[in-house]
Amino acid sequence: MSGSTNLPPGFHFFPSDEELVIHFLRRKASLLPCRPDIVPTLPLNRYDPWELNGKALNAGNQWYFFSQATQTRTSRNGHWNPIGADESVSSGGSNVGLKKTFIFSIGQEPFQATKTNWVMHEYHLLDGNGSSSTSGSSRKRSQKKKCHSDKESSSNWVVCRVFESGCNSQVSFQEEDMELSCLDEVFLSLDDYDEVSLPKN
């Protein structure tokens, strides 16, 4: 799948953290179809962040893709270093996921690497949500032992958002802890339309 979207003209892919976890990551981990099916699956270690264009889903100055969770987030020219504390992603008053933040550094040696402006948000499901749960019954564990390949394909999924900071990739209402999806923007535009008074004949 290419990095271009199949959305109608005027629609933009701009999901909130909650939407990424609930509507995309949870469905991916549960082997359910994602609609719209526009987020590709990429091996994180294969690409440097500047190589994602045309491979990951491009939405403005951000790139989205699914990947298998890994402990070694390295690529050919560098590696991703964790920064800050993990953030909870909530839905309906319950925590449903975690958001981890990383910054990309060029070079493989930690003390000789050069930090870049590339940032990655990596979203994880919490235990007990979808097929990524690690606290299933013994029956489920038995099934996983019998179907190891199915386990690898249905669990440990993450969804990543990559952007280069300082390139207007984070718009103003994100900085104010407000996030609007494309549907929110449509509803707001309809509200504005209702307020327009037509001239009387």
Side-chain angles (χ1 to χ4, degrees):
M1 180 185 298
S2 65
S4 59
T5 67
N6 294 318
L7 295 176
F11 283 78
H12 302 280
F13 187 75
F14 193 76
S16 65
D17 292 349
E18 177 187 356
E19 289 168 335
L20 277 176
V21 171
I22 296 297
H23 298 294
F24 290 91
L25 182 55
R26 177 179 284 182
R27 296 186 68 84
K28 178 73 170 179
S30 301
L31 300 180
L32 297 173
C34 297
R35 296 186 178 90
D37 186 14
I38 55 177
V39 181
T41 299
L42 299 175
L44 177 62
N45 294 346
R46 184 174 296 178
Y47 303 106
D48 295 317
W50 51 84
E51 297 177 316
L52 292 174
N53 197 31
K55 301 177 180 65
L57 169 63
N58 178 223
N61 291 320
Q62 302 180 7
W63 288 266
Y64 296 85
F65 59 94
F66 292 113
S67 190
Q68 288 282 341
T70 176
Q71 295 295 325
T72 56
R73 299 172 180 84
T74 59
S75 65
R76 288 176 294 181
N77 294 301
H79 58 279
W80 293 97
N81 288 321
I83 58 172
D86 296 348
E87 300 179 39
S88 297
V89 178
S90 61
S91 178
S94 301
N95 291 335
V96 294
L98 287 177
K99 179 171 74 172
K100 299 175 181 289
T101 303
F102 300 84
I103 188 168
F104 189 78
S105 296
I106 299 175
Q108 302 299 337
E109 297 296 331
F111 298 103
Q112 298 179 357
T114 302
K115 290 184 179 180
T116 70
N117 291 329
W118 287 98
V119 177
M120 177 173 68
H121 292 159
E122 187 180 85
Y123 296 85
H124 296 249
L125 285 172
L126 290 181
D127 290 347
N129 289 286
S131 298
S132 64
S133 173
T134 58
S135 59
S137 64
S138 58
R139 179 181 59 85
K140 291 182 179 180
R141 287 195 294 269
S142 176
Q143 290 175 345
K144 289 180 180 180
K145 290 180 182 179
K146 294 179 181 178
C147 305
H148 181 71
S149 60
D150 290 343
K151 172 186 175 182
E152 291 300 321
S153 63
S154 64
S155 65
N156 297 325
W157 283 107
V158 296
V159 61
C160 301
R161 172 197 283 139
V162 176
F163 60 93
E164 189 173 13
S165 63
C167 293
N168 297 323
S169 57
Q170 301 291 83
V171 296
S172 59
F173 53 77
Q174 277 188 312
E175 295 173 354
E176 296 174 359
D177 296 328
M178 296 176 61
E179 294 182 331
L180 299 179
S181 67
C182 59
L183 291 179
D184 293 326
E185 295 175 353
V186 171
F187 294 144
L188 287 176
S189 65
L190 291 176
D191 291 339
D192 294 337
Y193 179 80
D194 291 338
E195 294 176 359
V196 176
S197 58
L198 297 177
K200 297 180 180 179
N201 294 330

